[in-house]
Amino acid sequence: MATILESIGDYLVTNSQGTLGSTLFLATLPESPDVCTAVYENAGSPPSFTMGTGGIVIDYPMIQIISRAGKDDYPTARDKIQAIRNLLASVTDVTISGITVLRIEPMGSVNPLGIDPKQRPLLSANFRCLVRT
């Protein structure tokens, strides 16, 4: 079974938000290309249990998306991260790469992270996923 990281990557590819290994990367933000997006896993909230099941029923992993654009091109990075935020916020009760995602919740607005050493803007958006196990 895929991980939430892989599932979100697949969902972004399916919805024309990048190409894995070319403009979309999982758990890394390479030096090139300038214009790209990275998806990271983060520690989430404690899982939910129900009486009698003896196991996790709903898990709450978190993901972070980082968008980068070319030197001094803030609007491109901002547009990309906002498009991804809007896309993921619309996810409800779907199965992505074998994982049942009940909801993807933005954990705030788009967050400017500044610029990297090559003057490329970086922006992020954080999400909590509700995943049925």
Side-chain angles (χ1 to χ4, degrees):
M1 181 187 306
T3 65
I4 191 66
L5 180 69
E6 295 162 329
S7 295
I8 297 300
D10 289 345
Y11 192 78
L12 293 175
V13 167
T14 300
N15 286 276
S16 304
Q17 293 301 314
T19 302
L20 268 176
S22 176
T23 59
L24 179 66
F25 300 91
L26 304 180
T28 187
L29 185 64
E31 280 299 310
S32 67
D34 287 342
V35 180
C36 63
T37 304
V39 182
Y40 294 93
E41 290 180 284
N42 285 322
S45 304
S48 292
F49 298 84
T50 60
M51 299 301 287
T53 63
I56 296 169
V57 176
I58 297 177
D59 212 354
Y60 301 95
M62 294 199 46
I63 59 165
Q64 179 180 55
I65 312 285
I66 296 179
S67 173
R68 182 177 69 205
K71 182 179 178 182
D72 301 323
D73 189 9
Y74 184 90
T76 296
R78 180 71 166 81
D79 290 348
K80 175 56 91 173
I81 199 72
Q82 188 63 54
I84 290 172
R85 183 175 182 269
N86 291 343
L87 173 68
L88 294 180
S90 70
V91 171
T92 57
D93 203 9
V94 298
T95 300
I96 307 167
S97 305
I99 293 181
T100 302
V101 179
L102 302 174
R103 183 111 179 103
I104 300 177
E105 300 173 340
M107 298 305 293
S109 58
V110 169
N111 180 32
L113 299 175
I115 55 173
D116 72 4
K118 294 183 178 180
Q119 305 300 305
R120 299 176 295 190
L122 298 164
L123 291 97
S124 72
N126 297 297
F127 304 87
R128 181 173 84 148
C129 304
L130 284 73
V131 176
R132 183 178 299 135
T133 59

